[in-house]
Amino acid sequence: MAPATPPPGTTPLHAYRDLPEKPAIVYVTEVSHQDHEHYYVIGGGYYGRSHLTGCLVGSDEKEVLNQYVKAFEPAPEAIDYYGAIEKPEGFLVSEGDTAVFSFRTQVFVTRAHIALVKGIQSGKPELVHFERKW
């Protein structure tokens, strides 16, 4: 009998160690607005111990994969309507751009929509389930 392969997922240890389990949750949102310091992305899925470090951001597939910006943890007393990201040097960010994060979440308490997708690694993504949260 072959050894069991752990299911894909995320754990806090992935931030510190190379583990056989591959993180499989991404949080996809969009840039909502800006002020003089930051851009803001639509929240609703952040978890207080997510350990946000940054995100990929852009208006198309090629941009998103090459444009990384620092993200800022919301204050513990803040409601997670928005997340803050830095204003980058070297490329532009626009309202409506896609922002892709990978962080620990708690799906059962999120206010974000949830999509379960299989077949991504094989290049044949298939939507298995979609949960609308509001």
Side-chain angles (χ1 to χ4, degrees):
M1 177 180 231
T5 303
T10 60
T11 69
L13 288 176
H14 279 92
Y16 305 101
R17 296 187 195 156
D18 185 17
L19 300 172
E21 179 185 39
K22 300 295 182 203
I25 293 176
V26 293
Y27 182 81
V28 181
T29 187
E30 70 179 81
V31 176
S32 170
H33 61 283
Q34 64 178 304
D35 64 16
H36 63 283
E37 270 188 87
H38 301 101
Y39 285 101
Y40 295 89
V41 298
I42 297 171
Y46 295 131
Y47 170 53
R49 296 181 299 213
S50 296
H51 301 292
L52 292 175
T53 55
C55 73
L56 299 171
V57 63
S59 62
D60 64 48
E61 182 179 335
K62 289 181 182 181
E63 276 186 3
V64 167
L65 294 175
N66 293 301
Q67 296 182 158
Y68 178 83
V69 295
K70 182 178 178 182
F72 303 96
E73 286 278 343
E77 65 275 3
I79 297 173
D80 65 348
Y81 294 142
Y82 298 102
I85 62 175
E86 74 179 355
K87 288 193 168 185
E89 293 182 25
F91 63 89
L92 297 175
V93 173
S94 299
E95 293 165 2
D97 280 0
T98 300
V100 181
F101 294 81
S102 180
F103 56 79
R104 184 172 184 224
T105 188
Q106 289 198 334
V107 174
F108 64 94
V109 295
T110 184
R111 291 182 295 108
H113 302 314
I114 301 165
L116 178 60
V117 180
K118 71 177 185 179
I120 293 171
Q121 294 84 358
S122 66
K124 297 178 184 176
E126 179 184 337
L127 180 63
V128 176
H129 179 76
F130 182 76
E131 184 75 26
R132 186 176 196 107
K133 299 303 273 190
W134 39 269

